[in-house]
Amino acid sequence: MNKLYTCIACAAIATLLCFLPAISQEDVMTIGGPDAFYGFTDPQRPVVMFTHTQHMDLEMIDGSCLPCHHDGRDEEGNFTEGDMVPCKDCHDEAAKGEMSLLNAYHKQCIDCHEQAEAGPITCGECHVKTEFYGMPLGNDENQGESQE
Amino acid sequence: MHDIYNFVVGPLAWFGWGVFILGAIYKLVYAYNKFITKDATSAHYMSWKFGLRSIGAWLIPFFTTGWKNNPLVTAVTFVFHICLILVPIFLSAHAILWQQFFGIEFFWTLPDNVADIMTLLVIAACVFFAVRRLAYPRVKFITEAKDWWVLLLVVSPFITGYLAYHQIFNYQFMIVLHVITGLAWLALIPFSRLSHMLFALFTRAYIGSEFGGVRKVKDW
Amino acid sequence: MKESKFDRKIDDIGLKEGIAKLTPEKIQQTFQKFMDSEAGAKLRVYHETCVRCGMCSEACHFFVSHDGDPSYSPVGKVTQTMNVLINKKGRVDAEFVYKCAQIAYTECNLCRRCMHYCPLGIDTGYIMSMVRRFCHLLGVTPQYIQDTAHSHSATFNQMWVKDDEWPDALLWQEEEARDEFPNLRIPLDVVGADIMYSVIGPEPKFRTQLIYQAAAILHEAGVNWTMPSLPGWDNSDMAMYTGDFEMMGRLKRAHFECAQNLKVKKVVMGECGHAFRSVYDMGNRWCGWDNYPVEVVHSIEFFAYLLRTGMIKMKTKFPGPVTIHDPCNIIRGRGLMDELRFVAHEIAEEVIEMTPNREYNYCCCAGGGVINCGPPFKNVRVKGNKAKAIQLRGVKEKGVSTVISPCHNCHGGLEDIIHGYELGMDLKFLGDIIYEHMEKTKAVE
Ligand code: HEM
Ligand code: HEM
Ligand code: SF4
Ligand code: SF4
Ligand code: SF4
């Protein structure tokens, strides 16, 4: 009996863990790193912190899922709405060219930030380094997020 | 800060590149015209065969008399120039900017940690050149103020680039400074000692032609 | 730009009186005109392109001989002269012009050894000859060499040899030689001869023996040759070294007109370096010729030809080891190092080489007109070529006491070095040895 409960509990926790990012998006997402959920298991640059809700609450997004979650373009060249999947499902990490994951992130983030005149646009504002050969640099890991 | 950044990577970058490219064209065209009019009796001896032969010989480290007799400078200068040219072109950060602004995709970029070491090598080489200028009488004697400015100019994008990459000191300030020094670096190539980048091939080709064609001996 | 001090000024009346006539305006205007009308891309690009790395320093025998005094390095000399002129756009005082002249005329042999060292191919010899040109335009030239240039303008030869003295000297040598070779002639003005033999002015003046020897060799070889009796016979060219390029051009024209009037196939010239340079490198360019209008064959090549074809056979070889001093104007200037070695090995029992040699040789320090600047600057040459003395001492220790060098200037320079450093060595022209040791079938027993 105990065994069954344990199994159910595990399954529940597992399910919860799986859906957690989707349902509780205020969690800070870490792009890059060993868990590989958003690509780049072994990144050259420091991982990037991304807060989902903070972006969804923005006026220019206004609760919509576009322009991030897109799936092709309509006649006018605007994005059409796509599935709620991580970017790397369509944008291949190993690919070259415009569709590569690297470009997808850079283009999506930086273009939007430029348009909004808010948010990070230079390398180090997203890829924040906290130490220099073991010496702490005093940079806040999440400083990119707080940038206006 | 982003306004300043956007200005330096926007209008200022156009300006810097413009000065570099137009300046280089102007310098080369001016020199070419002078060469074929005033130095026609030298231009006459230009030869592809001997010119390329000379350039080739001098591209091989420790091959020529000059290189052999200055082994330390040779080692340092080859490392310095190779890194100096490869890093700005194939740095991933730079490649991403090309992609971002012009949609130009690089077939290959330097891994960041390698580029990082190459940057340090460039800085170390500049320190070597500086020490040489201070300590070695034969170089000290011929050093003018502008040689120091050039050295400072050359090293500054590497120092600021390194500091920016590692986010030491204020990152946003550093990246702006980096772009400004990088652009100054480019823009001043045609108008300083760095113009040897534009002329080196031609001065070599000429002297190679003269030695090969007229003097019938090697120029190395 | 720092002004380095110049504490080795040497009194020369030509330079002194030359600068006495200068005003700052004149200097500046002359420089401006020089830059606008004469200097082209080479001078400007060299000025801009030199990265001041100092790699050329060690190339120069002056630098080496002065234990690395940077003011004697190739780029050091440019820094003290042309560099300042260009940077200041000619706004310099007369004293500075003196310094420029002294450096350019007496501390650089235009030997171009530094070309093997400069990674950017900056031709320091060319820059120094442009400094000389500028000094010439200002009339600031060392007295002795200017005297030879005056002689060139007045007589078309270097040594004030009068029109009648020249054929006299030839007839005299012919007479002398006929004691040894009864049928020998020095054929004058033979139209249609195969070869015109030409010499430098000092030969009839000081070294008539060389004309005798040449006549003997040409006679023995049975060559159809001639010598001109009229001005134009002298192939030497000090105007080239003072920077008097106009005169250089006239000299070359006169010389080649001589050859063309005689309708010869070739000009064979005596063992001289600078005269050769003036026909393949400088004079021809000034005249706008790709090359000489009549082929000029240097003695080295000619002797090699005579020995190869057996027209001259060696009865004996020069005994004992000899060494070779490569004259830059012929070797680094014209690539005759292998021919020279061929001849040397044909005529001498053993050749012991100095290093560096061939196109990497150290100049004798007399060339480029430096020896022609005369006694005031003799010490400059001797002190400035300790490097050569060390080289010579090196082969002397291996048992060499004879130096072969097919260039008059080299002989002059090496002689002073050999005396100055008490080396006790002999100098020989190729012609000396060939004449001495060849089979003389046409001579009286
Ligand atoms: C239009 C001008 C330039 C722009 C916009 C630019 C931009 C950048 C950016 C964004 C970075 C990345 C900094 C980071 O990782 O946070 C960088 C790094 C760097 N850049 Fe530039 N750059 C320019 C010109 C140059 C030039 C001319 C040079 C060298 C001659 C240069 C050498 C470097 C170096 C050495 C690094 C650091 C590499 C490292 O330590 O890993 N840059 N640059
Ligand atoms: C692309 C063709 C280039 C060639 C063939 C070339 C060649 C040379 C050579 C032969 C030297 C002298 C050796 C030495 O002292 O290190 C030199 C020195 C130098 N080069 Fe370049 N170079 C080139 C491009 C550049 C560029 C693009 C830069 C920087 C913008 C540069 C900066 C320097 C500096 C600063 C020195 C002098 C180092 C000192 O102070 O002694 N070079 N170069
Ligand atoms: S003497 Fe020869 S090596 Fe020295 S600077 Fe003049 S040309 Fe160069
Ligand atoms: S002449 Fe050539 S070798 Fe000499 S300092 Fe200038 S660049 Fe260097
Ligand atoms: S005198 Fe002799 S060694 Fe000296 S420059 Fe002339 S040819 Fe060269």
Side-chain angles (χ1 to χ4, degrees):
Chain A
M1 218 34 190
N2 267 353
K3 231 179 194 169
L4 185 64
Y5 283 133
T6 322
C7 283
I8 290 172
C10 283
I13 289 168
T15 320
L16 196 65
L17 276 176
C18 285
F19 285 97
L20 199 62
I23 51 175
S24 57
Q25 286 294 14
E26 68 262 58
D27 275 351
V28 176
M29 298 157 52
T30 304
I31 303 172
D35 66 2
F37 199 78
Y38 303 102
F40 299 112
T41 33
D42 187 16
Q44 292 200 39
R45 295 258 168 169
V47 296
V48 174
M49 303 300 177
F50 177 80
T51 322
H52 198 260
T53 37
Q54 199 191 345
H55 283 85
M56 287 177 63
D57 293 347
L58 291 171
E59 210 176 311
M60 66 189 289
I61 307 269
D62 198 19
S64 107
C65 304
L66 279 176
C68 297
H69 295 280
H70 49 250
D71 179 14
R73 294 173 192 271
D74 63 17
E75 283 100 67
E76 280 125 58
N78 297 320
F79 283 131
T80 53
E81 190 144 344
D83 296 334
M84 304 303 117
V85 292
C87 312
K88 74 155 201 236
D89 284 11
C90 305
H91 295 276
D92 185 4
E93 187 181 330
K96 283 261 151 199
E98 223 185 324
M99 277 294 284
S100 77
L101 186 58
L102 182 83
N103 280 332
Y105 280 132
H106 283 149
K107 193 164 169 48
Q108 197 63 62
C109 301
I110 297 172
D111 281 4
C112 221
H113 295 166
E114 289 278 13
Q115 245 177 47
E117 296 182 14
I121 54 175
T122 63
C123 319
E125 289 166 343
C126 285
H127 301 277
V128 181
K129 288 207 172 184
T130 51
E131 56 161 45
F132 177 66
Y133 295 107
M135 274 181 296
L137 287 171
N139 295 335
D140 174 4
E141 247 186 72
N142 213 9
Q143 70 185 12
E145 281 301 272
S146 52
Q147 237 145 53
E148 281 312 309
Chain B
M1 212 64 195
H2 279 169
D3 292 341
I4 303 174
Y5 175 80
N6 280 327
F7 172 74
V8 294
V9 296
L12 197 68
W14 281 104
F15 177 76
W17 277 94
V19 172
F20 168 52
I21 290 168
L22 295 177
I25 293 171
Y26 166 77
K27 279 276 175 178
L28 289 173
V29 169
Y30 176 83
Y32 176 77
N33 275 331
K34 278 267 181 227
F35 190 54
I36 56 164
T37 53
K38 294 286 177 197
D39 294 330
T41 54
S42 294
H44 175 75
Y45 297 104
M46 284 303 266
S47 129
W48 283 99
K49 178 179 150 204
F50 292 123
L52 291 174
R53 188 181 76 157
S54 169
I55 292 169
W58 282 89
L59 280 179
I60 307 171
F62 306 107
F63 181 70
T64 64
T65 311
W67 294 142
K68 274 184 215 149
N69 278 280
N70 299 277
L72 192 57
V73 183
T74 305
V76 174
T77 206
F78 270 90
V79 170
F80 169 73
H81 281 94
I82 291 169
C83 295
L84 177 94
I85 289 167
L86 290 186
V87 170
I89 298 178
F90 293 110
L91 189 72
S92 68
H94 291 179
I96 280 163
L97 292 179
W98 285 105
Q99 162 70 36
Q100 183 187 332
F101 288 114
F102 300 105
I104 296 166
E105 185 78 21
F106 274 53
F107 55 94
W108 178 77
T109 55
L110 281 165
D112 278 347
N113 49 358
V114 175
D116 204 39
I117 290 163
M118 290 169 83
T119 302
L120 284 177
L121 287 176
V122 171
I123 297 170
C126 286
V127 171
F128 169 81
F129 291 138
V131 170
R132 214 171 152 261
R133 286 207 180 285
L134 287 173
Y136 209 32
R138 69 182 68 172
V139 199
K140 189 175 178 185
F141 181 78
I142 52 177
T143 300
E144 303 170 4
K146 59 181 168 189
D147 297 308
W148 287 110
W149 287 116
V150 158
L151 210 51
L152 193 67
L153 176 69
V154 166
V155 78
S156 54
F158 288 87
I159 292 179
T160 52
Y162 186 82
L163 293 177
Y165 174 76
H166 288 285
Q167 297 166 24
I168 301 167
F169 307 127
N170 183 312
Y171 174 75
Q172 288 179 320
F173 173 73
M174 204 51 79
I175 199 72
V176 168
L177 197 62
H178 170 70
V179 181
I180 292 173
T181 53
L183 288 169
W185 193 91
L186 281 175
L188 288 171
I189 284 178
F191 305 104
S192 69
R193 285 269 146 76
L194 300 183
S195 61
H196 74 272
M197 173 186 162
L198 307 173
F199 290 129
L201 292 181
F202 299 100
T203 50
R204 264 266 66 91
Y206 171 68
I207 214 71
S209 305
E210 187 178 301
F211 269 65
V214 177
R215 307 185 186 287
K216 307 190 168 131
V217 285
K218 297 179 289 200
D219 63 327
W220 59 84
Chain C
M1 147 110 225
K2 68 172 185 294
E3 282 281 350
S4 47
K5 71 174 195 298
F6 190 67
D7 51 12
R8 52 176 188 262
K9 186 172 161 182
I10 289 174
D11 240 18
D12 179 275
I13 184 146
L15 298 179
K16 217 154 71 184
E17 305 215 327
I19 65 163
K21 295 180 201 128
L22 297 180
T23 59
E25 296 76 51
K26 184 173 173 197
I27 299 173
Q28 210 243 315
Q29 280 162 11
T30 310
F31 188 73
Q32 198 59 47
K33 210 171 126 212
F34 164 77
M35 285 307 280
D36 291 344
S37 63
E38 293 194 29
K42 276 166 84 180
L43 190 63
R44 287 182 170 82
V45 169
Y46 288 158
H47 173 70
E48 271 187 46
T49 303
C50 168
V51 288
R52 327 248 124 211
C53 60
M55 277 175 59
C56 50
S57 307
E58 255 161 90
C60 187
H61 46 283
F62 278 105
F63 177 85
V64 175
S65 303
H66 285 100
D67 303 319
D69 179 342
S71 63
Y72 286 102
S73 78
V75 60
K77 288 178 262 193
V78 176
T79 308
Q80 293 171 87
T81 57
M82 189 49 90
N83 214 28
V84 181
L85 287 171
I86 294 182
N87 286 346
K88 293 194 171 170
K89 301 197 166 60
R91 279 185 214 95
V92 295
D93 57 16
E95 206 42 54
F96 183 80
V97 177
Y98 195 111
K99 172 174 156 184
C100 283
Q102 188 175 330
I103 292 176
Y105 284 110
T106 74
E107 294 174 7
C108 173
N109 300 95
L110 313 182
C111 75
R112 289 205 165 90
R113 186 166 196 269
C114 36
M115 297 314 304
H116 293 301
Y117 286 71
C118 174
L120 291 163
I122 311 268
D123 189 346
T124 302
Y126 172 81
I127 301 175
M128 296 320 282
S129 60
M130 292 312 267
V131 177
R132 289 183 182 195
R133 172 69 176 165
F134 173 59
C135 292
H136 161 78
L137 293 173
L138 287 173
V140 182
T141 47
Q143 175 79 350
Y144 277 80
I145 192 170
Q146 187 55 49
D147 180 67
T148 61
H150 284 328
S151 169
H152 276 307
S153 334
T155 66
F156 275 78
N157 72 68
Q158 194 197 121
M159 288 278 129
W160 300 103
V161 178
K162 299 200 187 90
D163 284 0
D164 57 339
E165 285 173 357
W166 164 244
D168 256 13
L170 296 182
L171 292 177
W172 167 39
Q173 286 310 307
E174 180 181 84
E175 207 173 303
E176 296 269 307
R178 282 168 80 98
D179 287 348
E180 194 182 2
F181 298 88
N183 294 324
L184 182 146
R185 294 285 323 270
I186 295 184
L188 295 185
D189 299 326
V190 179
V191 178
D194 290 342
I195 280 167
M196 175 177 111
Y197 186 67
S198 80
V199 298
I200 61 170
E203 289 203 18
K205 200 86 178 175
F206 308 121
R207 300 197 186 195
T208 36
Q209 167 71 6
L210 293 177
I211 298 178
Y212 177 123
Q213 288 174 4
I217 295 169
L218 288 157
H219 176 69
E220 178 63 35
V223 176
N224 174 11
W225 67 296
T226 186
M227 287 182 88
S229 68
L230 294 175
W233 56 266
D234 180 5
N235 58 26
S236 76
D237 198 338
M238 278 304 130
M240 163 174 86
Y241 283 150
T242 60
D244 187 351
F245 295 155
E246 289 79 3
M247 195 56 221
M248 168 178 75
R250 290 176 63 204
L251 287 171
K252 290 313 104 187
R253 286 211 171 81
H255 188 59
F256 285 111
E257 271 164 22
C258 235
Q260 286 172 324
N261 285 337
L262 294 175
K263 303 191 168 47
V264 293
K265 299 203 180 82
K266 285 175 185 172
V267 177
V268 171
M269 53 172 287
E271 297 180 47
C272 177
H274 88 274
F276 203 33
R277 177 198 196 110
S278 79
V279 298
Y280 69 73
D281 182 11
M282 297 192 62
N284 57 322
R285 291 198 205 203
W286 182 264
C287 295
W289 305 330
D290 168 80
N291 213 330
Y292 26 60
V294 177
E295 188 185 346
V296 179
V297 179
H298 193 272
S299 277
I300 296 179
E301 302 169 274
F302 189 61
F303 292 148
Y305 167 78
L306 294 180
L307 290 165
R308 274 204 188 98
T309 53
M311 291 167 83
I312 290 287
K313 294 197 179 64
M314 299 304 289
K315 191 161 78 188
T316 51
K317 285 192 170 190
F318 185 84
V322 299
T323 193
I324 300 173
H325 167 76
D326 294 273
C328 357
N329 283 326
I330 309 163
I331 307 303
R332 189 158 36 249
R334 201 57 166 174
L336 296 187
M337 52 272 181
D338 292 318
E339 291 294 85
L340 175 54
R341 285 187 171 56
F342 168 74
V343 176
H345 283 270
E346 286 289 305
I347 65 175
E349 277 174 358
E350 192 189 355
V351 179
I352 296 184
E353 296 277 0
M354 297 187 276
T355 45
N357 59 352
R358 299 167 65 91
E359 69 263 52
Y360 304 104
N361 75 314
Y362 282 121
C363 171
C364 64
C365 211
V370 174
I371 194 170
N372 310 73
C373 294
F377 301 100
K378 181 175 165 191
N379 260 338
V380 176
R381 284 189 284 120
V382 176
K383 289 222 184 79
N385 213 354
K386 201 166 76 193
K388 190 97 243 166
I390 292 169
Q391 271 191 310
L392 289 171
R393 187 167 288 133
V395 283
K396 168 105 199 192
E397 277 159 14
K398 293 183 194 157
V400 177
S401 58
T402 307
V403 186
I404 292 183
S405 188
C407 165
H408 292 87
N409 263 346
C410 297
H411 274 237
L414 293 177
E415 209 165 87
D416 291 334
I417 288 168
I418 288 169
H419 287 155
Y421 294 90
E422 293 168 2
L423 297 171
M425 298 173 94
D426 271 346
L427 283 160
K428 293 271 185 229
F429 287 104
L430 295 171
D432 293 335
I433 298 180
I434 295 177
Y435 166 75
E436 207 62 54
H437 294 268
M438 68 182 181
E439 276 184 12
K440 295 177 182 169
T441 56
K442 296 177 184 169
V444 288
E445 289 305 310

